[in-house]
Amino acid sequence: MGAQIHSYLMSEDASGQANFYMESLGGEIQFLTTFGETPGTPDAMKDKVMHLAFTVAGTNTLMISDSFEPVSYNRNISISLNYDDVSEASTAYAKLSEGGESKYPFALQPWGAYYGEVVDKFGVTWMITKQ
């Protein structure tokens, strides 16, 4: 039996965060459910995202949901994107950096790969690599 790991993010703005990733990395929404689709949902919650699955940077699936508690990310977990093309990797790094913080500039490393690390404007750490 096999399994796949998918990153599932909790967000204070799931739609905005998903759109930022799709604009930065390319992608599209695969599935979207709002809390308003559940009977008895209070009006204030109707437009909040219950579950959104989307692809980025090819066929990679990310999932995201609005949280009703404050969200804080830390560096204990990072999302790693490995590219075959240095130009695509560099572009992804630059776009994810917009409004965020460069932790490790994207550059050729002593071990022979290109690597960079950025914390995006939502607080998610991305490790971008071109092997």
Side-chain angles (χ1 to χ4, degrees), residues 43-125:
D43 285 344
M45 294 173 51
K46 286 191 183 286
D47 293 332
K48 296 287 187 181
V49 172
M50 181 186 296
H51 177 71
L52 194 161
F54 58 105
T55 57
V56 292
T59 60
N60 302 287
T61 300
L62 282 178
M63 292 180 269
I64 194 164
S65 179
D66 277 312
S67 175
F68 296 101
E69 301 174 2
V71 173
S72 67
Y73 297 105
N74 60 47
R75 292 184 39 130
N76 290 337
I77 295 178
S78 301
I79 298 176
S80 177
L81 279 176
N82 299 303
Y83 285 88
D84 294 328
D85 181 85
V86 71
S87 177
E88 287 180 21
S90 179
T91 298
Y93 181 89
K95 288 183 176 182
L96 289 170
S97 298
E98 292 174 10
E101 179 185 357
S102 173
K103 288 297 203 183
Y104 200 92
F106 185 77
L108 183 60
Q109 303 302 317
W111 61 86
Y114 284 83
Y115 175 83
E117 191 171 312
V118 61
V119 178
D120 71 30
K121 66 183 178 180
F122 296 98
V124 175
T125 301

Side-chain angles (χ1 to χ4, degrees), residues 10-26:
M10 300 306 294
S11 178
E12 294 177 23
D13 178 14
S15 291
Q17 193 167 348
N19 285 329
F20 174 72
Y21 296 149
M22 287 184 288
E23 289 171 11
S24 296
L25 304 170

